[in-house]
Structure formats: C-alpha cells, structure tokens
Amino acid sequence: MAAQNSQACLVLSNGMKMPQMGLGTWMIKPHEAVAAVKAAIDAGYRHIDTAYVYDNEEQIGQAIKEVIAEGKVKREELFIVTKLAIQYLSPERVREGFYKSLKMLQLDYVDLYLIHSPTAVQYIEDHPLPTNEKGELLIDVDVDYVDTWKEMEKLVDEGLTRSIGVSNFNEKQIERVLHVAKHKPVNNQIELNPYFIRQQLVSFCQSKGIVVTSYSSLGAPDKASEGGPDILSDPVVKAMGEKYNRSPAQILLRYPVNRGCAVIPKSLNPEHMKENMKIFEFELSAEDVKSLDDLNINLSQLKKFWITFNDHPHYPFA
Ligand SMILES: NC(=O)c1ccc[n+]([C@@H]2O[C@H](COP(=O)([O-])OP(=O)(O)OC[C@H]3O[C@@H](n4cnc5c(N)ncnc54)[C@H](OP(=O)(O)O)[C@@H]3O)[C@@H](O)[C@H]2O)c1
C-alpha cells in the first residue's frame, strides 16, 4: 500500500499542488543519492529537488523507480523538480538540456522545470562551468533568458514538464519573463534565510502568484559559509528553539514556511529528515518571524560562487 503523506502543499498558479517540504540534493554524491531519496520517501517527503549540475539525477531516478516498484508511492504522488543548466540556456540547446535530465531521471515527465539561473555560460561539452586557461569563467552575454523561456514553454505544451519556473531571478528579470509569457513562471527558487531575507523579492513574487522556494535555508553549513557566520548557532535562533522546544534547524525551516514559501533542506541523515518534516507541527508567532527578519544582513552564503558572475549582464544581484 502507498505510504500516507500528510504534509502541507502550496497551490501553484497553474492549479498544481507542490509539497511545501522537499529534499534538497546539491552535494549529494551519486553513491549516496539512492539511499538519501529512499530515506526521504520513508520520512514522508514527496518533493525532490535536483538539477543537471548536481550530477545525481541518474541515482535519484533509480531511487524513484525502486520506491514506485516497492509500492511505497505512486508517480503522481511525487513532485520532481530539476533545472536547466546554464550552459544550455541558448534557445537551441534547451531541449537537449531537458532531455539529458529526463533520460537520467528515467521519467516520462517532471513536475517542475526551472531555469537554474539567468546567467548563461558558453556551451562546451562536459564542462558545467567552462573556464579559459586563466581560470576565468566563459560567460555568454548573447543569451537572453526571455528567449530561453519561450523554449521552456514548449516543454509544457508537449507534456514533458507539468510546470516551469525560474531560479535566482530578480524582480526585473521576472517582469521581463511575465511580459512575454504564455505560461507564467509558477516558482522562483532563491537563497533565503534570516541572514538574507529578500523581503522585496518575496513580496513581489507573491504579488504575481509566483511561489518562492527557499534554498540554503539552514545557511548551507556544509559548504558555502567558510569563515562566515553559522546561522544554526545564532543566539536568537537558538533561544527561539528553546522557547518552542524545537531544534535551531526546525526554527530556520519553519521561518520560510511561515512566510508562505517552500523549503528544500539538503540532508543525508534520516534523523534530520524526520526532524525537518516535523516543522508542520508548530508555527512561529508573527513577532518571532519579525525577530528572525531583524537578523537580516543581506548576506549570501553563496557569495563566493556568485562573484564569478559579477560582470555578467544578467547578474541577478546588480
Ligand atoms: N537553485 C539554486 O541555485 C540552488 C542553490 C543552492 C541550493 N539549492 C537547493 O537547495 C537545497 C538546500 O540548500 P543547501 O544544500 O545549500 O543547504 P541547506 O539545506 O541550507 O543545508 C544543508 C546542510 O544542513 C544539514 N542539515 C539538514 N537538516 C539538518 C538538521 N535537522 N539539523 C542540523 N543540520 C541539518 C545537512 O547535513 P546532513 O546531510 O548531515 O543532514 C547539510 O549539511 C540544495 O541541496 C539544492 O537542492 C538550489
């Protein structure tokens, strides 16, 4: 019998339901991915977030195949998200990028397909972030993500993805897409946590019926914050955990959920996965959400990564 799943869902502007909690999979290595996805399904997750560049789609597809074959879940109960890599943003490459993901996931369709970032790089086979001999990123200044969007829409028309959206887009970039869109973006996946609250962008997206997904909600402790502040040990977050009798991670994951966003914490640890799912058992008061908002320092934990795109015409933080 298929396992029951009682977690909250957000309704997208096309009427689809997206589970508010998903499993993030960046940095989950291929040999870890099958076990991670299976543990997440057992913990009640139905939303899995991956991307071509995470290099684990094949194993995620394998895990999906297995949990369906084991009768734990039906395909239609799952919400699978993947992303168009930035070396495939030029319109003539979109389909190729999409089919690479679909084939590796071993699926007939995905639920949500996102443009990973508005910042195109040059296409060089097998180089996700191609650089020259000096190590400088080979950006592609000629690709306009609006043209990419028109190709993304064809994938919806053909039933290859149920919905489409963007990631790392700012207000102006979303406006430009909305201006031409036949199928509106249903989602913008962005970095969001109390050190980087993105109030204006979140309000803008919500006013346009675009659901926001928060990534690095825990401050991406295992990679990006080298030397930076660790939000999981922030005294305000810790004190709030004590007040609600919850862990700091649960407070940080509940924060975007209170703001109407989806969350996709990465985890390899089945105990963390279960703990994270329990954020639907409590709510933060408006006052406590405000206290977390007040921690804002406009700090992207992925700053080091974004710096390489500083000169890109579509750099989203300009
Ligand atoms: N669209 C984009 O450009 C973009 C960029 C970045 C991320 N993302 C997506 O967002 C996902 C999440 O973001 P992220 O990977 O940057 O980092 P994150 O979710 O903020 O942090 C992941 C880290 O938190 C730990 N963790 C998870 N649950 C915990 C808990 N209950 N208590 C303590 N530690 C816990 C994990 O360790 P354990 O494994 O030990 O649990 C892992 O080290 C990514 O995996 C990816 O799917 C998208």
Side-chain angles (χ1 to χ4, degrees):
M1 202 166 86
Q4 289 299 304
N5 170 41
S6 57
Q7 71 158 294
C9 283
L10 294 167
V11 181
L12 304 176
S13 62
N14 63 359
M16 281 181 74
K17 285 185 180 165
M18 175 167 89
Q20 204 164 1
M21 170 67 73
L23 178 73
T25 66
W26 186 24
M27 299 287 189
I28 294 190
K29 298 187 182 73
H31 71 273
E32 300 166 329
V34 173
V37 171
K38 290 179 99 173
I41 297 290
D42 286 343
Y45 290 62
R46 295 295 177 265
H47 167 178
I48 310 291
D49 180 79
T50 183
Y52 177 72
V53 287
Y54 299 171
D55 194 27
N56 56 23
E57 286 173 308
E58 190 179 339
Q59 292 72 24
I60 288 175
Q62 182 61 32
I64 293 169
K65 214 159 104 178
E66 289 179 23
V67 290
I68 292 174
E70 287 160 12
K72 286 190 171 166
V73 73
K74 300 188 185 108
R75 170 66 185 94
E76 55 274 24
E77 292 168 332
L78 296 174
F79 194 93
I80 307 300
V81 185
T82 192
K83 311 183 192 88
L84 179 69
I86 54 180
Q87 72 272 36
Y88 290 101
L89 256 52
S90 69
E92 62 279 9
R93 291 231 176 255
V94 170
R95 193 163 287 263
E96 182 187 346
F98 174 79
Y99 270 112
K100 277 184 184 273
S101 289
L102 194 70
K103 190 171 165 217
M104 285 206 275
L105 286 165
Q106 304 152 67
L107 295 173
D108 300 327
Y109 68 92
V110 295
D111 295 278
L112 175 59
Y113 195 48
L114 303 176
I115 299 181
H116 205 143
S117 163
T119 50
V121 295
Q122 292 179 27
Y123 176 83
I124 299 178
E125 207 168 349
D126 295 331
H127 284 273
L129 286 179
T131 49
N132 63 18
E133 57 291 345
K134 289 189 215 149
E136 294 158 345
L137 193 66
L138 296 172
I139 61 175
D140 189 338
V141 296
D142 295 325
V143 177
D144 185 342
Y145 51 81
V146 163
D147 299 325
T148 314
W149 188 257
K150 297 310 288 174
E151 290 302 310
M152 298 279 286
E153 290 182 325
K154 293 180 190 163
L155 303 175
V156 179
D157 291 335
E158 292 169 38
L160 294 166
T161 180
R162 297 272 155 98
S163 50
I164 46 178
V166 294
S167 177
N168 300 305
F169 275 46
N170 64 27
E171 292 94 313
K172 188 176 143 233
Q173 292 164 340
I174 293 172
E175 280 286 16
R176 287 191 68 231
V177 170
L178 287 174
H179 192 67
V180 301
K182 175 172 104 172
H183 298 300
K184 287 201 321 184
V186 300
N187 182 236
N188 188 17
Q189 186 179 117
I190 56 169
E191 183 178 354
L192 190 158
N193 59 54
Y195 287 168
F196 197 26
I197 68 170
R198 325 286 301 268
Q199 191 52 58
Q200 208 175 308
L201 179 56
V202 172
S203 300
F204 171 82
C205 289
Q206 292 178 339
S207 75
K208 300 289 180 189
I210 297 169
V211 164
V212 171
T213 298
S214 155
Y215 74 68
S216 302
S217 319
L218 301 171
D222 56 352
K223 51 184 176 297
S225 54
E226 297 134 7
D230 171 15
I231 199 166
L232 278 163
S233 339
D234 186 284
V236 172
V237 176
K238 280 170 85 174
M240 212 175 280
E242 279 161 28
K243 173 177 163 187
Y244 285 88
N245 204 15
R246 301 283 168 178
S247 68
Q250 287 175 318
I251 299 296
L252 291 172
L253 295 175
R254 184 67 222 189
Y255 169 71
V257 165
N258 259 62
R259 293 176 66 193
C261 305
V263 272
I264 47 171
K266 171 259 168 189
S267 185
L268 280 174
N269 178 333
E271 291 312 311
H272 283 166
M273 292 176 191
K274 287 182 211 153
E275 180 184 321
N276 297 348
M277 196 51 106
K278 288 191 179 151
I279 62 161
F280 297 102
E281 294 174 356
F282 76 107
E283 249 187 79
L284 298 171
S285 69
E287 200 180 39
D288 286 329
V289 171
K290 170 79 175 57
S291 305
L292 293 170
D293 285 342
D294 288 344
L295 297 178
N296 188 35
I297 45 173
N298 276 327
L299 173 77
S300 169
Q301 302 280 21
L302 306 191
K303 204 161 69 188
K304 252 172 95 175
F305 169 78
W306 280 112
I307 245 160
T308 56
F309 290 96
N310 253 337
D311 296 328
H312 198 290
H314 300 310
Y315 178 66
F317 301 111

